[in-house]
Each structure stands twice: as structure tokens, then as C-alpha cells.
Amino acid sequence: MYALADCNNFFVSCERVFRPDLERRPVIVLSGNDGCVVSRSNEAKALGIKMGVPLYQIRTIVEQAGVTCFSSNFALYGDLSDRVMSIIRQHTSHFEQYSIDECFFHIDHIPSDRQKAYCEQLVRDIRRGVGIPVSIGIASSKTLAKVASKYAKKYSGYHGVCEIRTDEQRVKALHDFEIGDVWGIGRRAKAKLTAAGITTALQFAERSDAFARNMLHKPGLLIWQELRGQDVIDITDLPMKQSITTSRTFASAISDRTLLEEQIADFCARCARQLRMQHSVCQQLFVYAHTSAFRADMEQHYLSEIVNLPVATANSQELITYALAALRRAYRAGVQYKKAGVVLMKIIPENAVVPDLFDTKDRTKDNRLQRVLDHIDDRHGKRTILFGSQLPSSDSAVVYKNDHKSPLYTTDIRDVITVKAG
DNA sequence: TCTGGGGTCCTAGGACCC
DNA sequence: TCTGGGGTCCTAGGACCC
């Protein structure tokens, strides 16, 4: 049996840990630049605030109902996520983290008639120990465990844990489950299935395997099997990321080349740091920037450059040099760039680098310097030391908007001191 | 006026090989 | 006019997830 633990309204719950006065009140967390809604409390959902909606479209509701807004604070969410996950990890032999707020784990070492009570205790432990409310679903496949966790979340009578153990329970659960809410069924697949007369998970599960495959190809067949109780979806997370991205939308568009260069250099350094943390190097670098896709009145422009690196590297300085050269080749003066990003691709383990016989760089020396820089950041906090090219010029404070950001309660002592002083 | 960020997997089609 | 068969690898785009 699989158990799936899912944190309820995770980002909002993180904010509430340090703001207990916001329990039972409408709260939302916003995306970058305070643009869209990315997490909602139950009270905010009840007000009709939809996932992903831009803030400016719900201003009236927010003001009239007194909804509390937060800018996203990923340092806080990541830290609380680690705490939740480490508690669960202690209770299982097999553990797979699926996202910042979800994980699958095995509970086979517990007798089946005690598994539900065991998970209920786990829910209470996490609530008391970290302060985050969690729902757990138990079933024989990951997809059914996801279904069960949604019931656990929806009905308080389950005390946070719902199990799909018998076929009778499975049929009942799927009968009341909308097809579009099934894990892996997105907008397109839902529309296709609805057109074929399928609106519930049970209707889909009771069609033939050929039907599932014809409609939705291989992923559809896997979902079909999982809904019938077979464990066929493997999510064993790759030890190494295959691509690493840093991208941002700017609060207002940038056309100044220097300003754009600062951003690209900074994205590059962030990506490279992640690359080094997983002990890998990349062979390809992708840089892009484009105008706002929402501005139908403006001419669209999309700048993109791929750089194939002569020798695979994770060195920030080297990657920044290539990225900025690429940007300068593709940059067009006068264009209003609203979003930009850097992607590192063709990632391989750092011990698999093929050296270049005619290499002119002293890589041993470069890497030694890089390690010193990383060490300084490890010891004194992220972004203690930066490259000059990342250094923001005086007017770049306006590039991003984060008016409602909570303090870094758990990860930065300076922030906590600020809170106390405040 | 204001619209997020970071990933993975699958498939079809083209290039290329013998 | 008529022009094989079978395979792999790579890539772009689509779809989906949180």
C-alpha cells in the first residue's frame, strides 16, 4: 500500500504558522511580482477566488472581504517542507518526495488494520511539531492514493486520513470523483473524455484498456491501470536534474541592456549554484528574453540563444561570460523585455567531463576559486558574495515587486531581529 | 496599468545508418 | 512511369504536474 501525504493549502499554511491570528480568515499567497494567486486558504476559496487568477482581477473581493495577501517566500516554504518531510521519513522504509508539499511513502511494516490509525497519529505529530495541516491518502496505487487524499482533505470526519482498501471503497470513491480531478488528466484530456461522454473516474476505469490507450496514449493507459488498483506509475525522482532554469517576469518591462545583463548574470549564477550542489556540470546554456505576451497592442519579440559549451562546466564566472555574450548577440535596442531566463541543459555528472586537449583555461584554479566562493555563501548566507556583473545598478530596485513578503522567520537571523525591532 | 516559476515525459517526424 | 526495409538517434512541440 502507498500513503500519500499532502500539505493542505501549503504556502498559506506556512504563513499561518507564524501568524496564528490568521487562522479561520481568508488568506492568499501570490506569485512573483504579486501577480497571480498561487495558494488559498479554505476561506479564500469560499469567496470564489480561483487558483492562478491575477490579483488585479480580484481587488474588489480582496478589499471588501479583508483578504490577507502574502508575496511568496520560498525560503520559508522550503524550510518548513524539509521539516514535514523529515518527520515522515522517520516513519517509513520507502520515501519519495514528489513536490514541495507532497510525498509518497510505504507503510507495509504496519499491520493493515492499524495503518489508518498510524497515519492519523502522523498527521497529529506534524501538526503539533511543525504547525502544518496534512492530509494522507492510502491505497494500492499512487493515483488512488491521490484520490483518497482529496477525500481526506474534503471531509473532516476522516481526521485527515482516508483509505481505499476494498474494491467496494474504490468503486464508491471513483463514482463521485470528477475525471478532470484525476492525477494526470489535464485540460485537454478532460475535454476529450467529456466529449466521449466520460465525466467520472469510474466511467473511465470501466472502459477497455484499448479505449484508454486510443484516447490518451501511453499516459492514459497508465492512469487507467492505476485507477483499477495496479501500481504502474514510477516517480522515483532522478538523482540529477536534467535541466535547471531561473527565469523572472519583471514588474515593468526592461529595455536597458545593462539592466537586462545584470538580470541574466544573476539568473546564470543561481542556476550554476544549483548545478554544483547536485555535483554536475552542463554542456549547453540557453538564454532568452521576450516582450509581454499579454500585450496584443505591442509587437512581440522573442530573443533566444543556445550556446554549446566547449567543455562541460558548472563554473559561475564562465557560464556568465557565455550567457552575456549570447545576450549581446541577440539583444535588440528599444524592445520592452518583460520576462527573461537562463536554462542549463545537457547536464552530466561532474566526474564525467571530457577535457579539451586545446583548452586554454586553468580549470583547476577556476574551480578552486569557485569552491571558496560557495564556501563563503554556505557560511555567511546566500548571496553574501556576488560577481560584479550580477551587482544591481542603483535603479534596479524597481525590477521586482514584493510588497507583502513575510520575514524569513526560520532561515535568516537578520530578518528575525528586524521583526523584533519592528 | 496590473497576468509566476520550475520541472518531466511522450510522440511524431526528420536525419542518418547499413 | 517505375525506386526497399529496418533500425537508431535527435529534436520540437504538446501536455501535464506542483
Side-chain angles (χ1 to χ4, degrees):
Chain A
M1 298 294 276
Y2 277 103
L4 167 74
D6 192 337
C7 301
N8 303 346
N9 313 330
F10 183 56
F11 297 169
V12 163
S13 296
C14 289
E15 299 292 349
R16 277 177 170 171
V17 168
F18 297 91
R19 290 288 307 275
D21 57 303
L22 296 177
E23 291 290 337
R24 284 178 290 281
R25 297 182 50 79
V27 179
I28 57 176
V29 174
L30 304 166
S31 65
N33 289 316
D34 299 338
C36 297
V37 175
V38 292
S39 182
R40 305 159 293 158
S41 70
N42 292 343
E43 298 76 17
K45 289 176 190 174
L47 288 170
I49 296 173
K50 299 269 184 271
M51 189 66 168
V53 71
L55 178 60
Y56 74 89
Q57 286 178 8
I58 54 165
R59 281 269 187 229
T60 319
I61 307 177
V62 166
E63 279 161 23
Q64 287 177 356
V67 178
T68 304
C69 303
F70 286 95
S71 306
S72 34
N73 183 347
F74 279 94
L76 177 66
Y77 311 151
D79 188 59
L80 293 186
S81 169
D82 288 346
R83 298 180 190 201
V84 170
M85 297 301 164
S86 79
I87 289 179
I88 296 172
R89 202 181 274 116
Q90 289 163 19
H91 286 88
T92 177
S93 50
H94 283 282
F95 171 91
E96 290 162 349
Q97 187 167 346
Y98 177 65
S99 70
I100 193 167
D101 71 331
E102 271 177 78
C103 65
F104 292 99
F105 58 102
H106 285 216
I107 43 173
D108 296 324
H109 56 295
I110 306 297
S112 54
D113 60 327
R114 292 212 55 253
Q115 289 176 349
K116 186 169 190 296
Y118 182 83
C119 287
E120 285 175 7
Q121 185 59 45
L122 193 52
V123 168
R124 285 193 294 269
D125 287 350
I126 294 169
R127 183 70 201 233
R128 198 176 55 236
V130 190
I132 298 289
V134 170
S135 301
I136 297 180
I138 302 170
S140 61
S141 73
K142 297 191 180 73
T143 305
L144 286 177
K146 286 274 241 182
V147 170
S149 79
K150 295 218 178 168
Y151 281 102
K153 192 172 294 193
K154 193 168 172 185
Y155 301 105
S156 56
Y158 283 117
H159 302 293
V161 183
C162 170
E163 53 183 352
I164 297 177
R165 199 170 286 282
T166 66
D167 201 55
E168 197 188 341
Q169 289 170 333
R170 183 185 71 89
V171 168
K172 188 165 180 293
L174 296 189
H175 178 266
D176 298 330
F177 208 78
E178 258 190 58
I179 188 65
D181 293 335
V182 173
W183 190 35
I185 303 289
R187 265 202 357 263
R188 294 297 294 265
K190 182 188 175 182
K192 212 169 167 184
L193 290 170
T194 306
I198 289 174
T199 55
T200 71
L202 187 62
Q203 287 170 344
F204 181 66
E206 288 186 338
R207 296 296 289 261
S208 68
D209 56 343
F211 175 83
R213 181 179 266 286
N214 288 341
M215 284 299 263
L216 310 173
H217 310 286
K218 187 179 172 181
L221 182 62
L222 294 180
I223 292 166
W224 180 84
Q225 290 173 308
E226 288 251 327
L227 288 175
R228 296 166 69 96
Q230 297 175 54
D231 170 30
V232 292
I233 292 180
D234 193 16
I235 58 140
T236 47
D237 36 11
L238 300 160
M240 261 191 343
K241 281 184 189 166
Q242 297 176 28
S243 73
I244 294 173
T245 305
T246 304
S247 68
R248 294 284 182 277
T249 298
F250 309 123
S252 56
I254 292 179
S255 61
D256 180 67
R257 200 187 80 172
T258 312
L259 218 51
L260 195 56
E261 283 177 9
E262 288 165 12
Q263 296 303 316
I264 293 293
D266 196 53
F267 299 164
C268 219
R270 288 170 187 269
C271 286
R273 169 80 193 196
Q274 281 191 55
L275 192 60
R276 293 191 297 275
M277 288 201 298
Q278 63 166 23
H279 303 290
S280 55
V281 290
C282 71
Q283 299 170 286
Q284 208 173 50
L285 168 75
F286 181 66
V287 178
Y288 70 89
H290 58 82
T291 46
S292 171
F294 294 102
R295 296 290 297 270
D297 56 318
M298 274 170 49
E299 194 193 339
Q300 297 291 308
H301 181 63
Y302 197 110
L303 158 174
S304 79
E305 283 271 314
I306 285 190
V307 181
N308 289 299
L309 303 162
V311 179
T313 183
N315 185 278
S316 285
Q317 196 176 3
E318 187 181 9
L319 288 166
I320 288 172
T321 304
Y322 281 112
L324 292 185
L327 174 63
R328 284 168 195 146
R329 284 196 294 276
Y331 169 82
R332 254 177 40 188
V335 174
Q336 296 286 317
Y337 294 103
K338 180 69 174 172
K339 181 177 178 177
V342 167
V343 188
L344 304 184
M345 297 178 298
K346 297 198 176 172
I347 291 172
I348 57 170
E350 64 186 358
N351 56 16
V353 178
V354 179
D356 178 358
L357 191 56
F358 305 105
D359 200 357
T360 53
K361 287 185 91 71
D362 183 348
R363 290 179 188 275
T364 312
K365 192 174 161 191
D366 291 349
N367 291 338
R368 207 158 59 219
L369 172 60
Q370 184 68 73
R371 275 199 298 278
V372 171
L373 300 181
D374 285 344
H375 183 66
I376 291 171
D377 274 1
D378 286 342
R379 186 157 171 182
H380 300 283
K382 283 179 185 168
R383 306 176 70 72
T384 297
I385 188 157
L386 302 171
F387 287 97
S389 49
Q390 291 172 263
L391 213 59
S393 52
S394 54
D395 53 345
S396 63
V398 298
V399 170
Y400 303 111
K401 183 164 169 274
N402 270 318
D403 293 345
H404 311 285
K405 190 156 169 189
S406 50
L408 302 170
Y409 295 108
T410 61
T411 53
D412 192 335
I413 189 70
R414 286 167 294 192
D415 248 58
V416 177
I417 291 167
T418 309
V419 172
K420 283 190 172 172

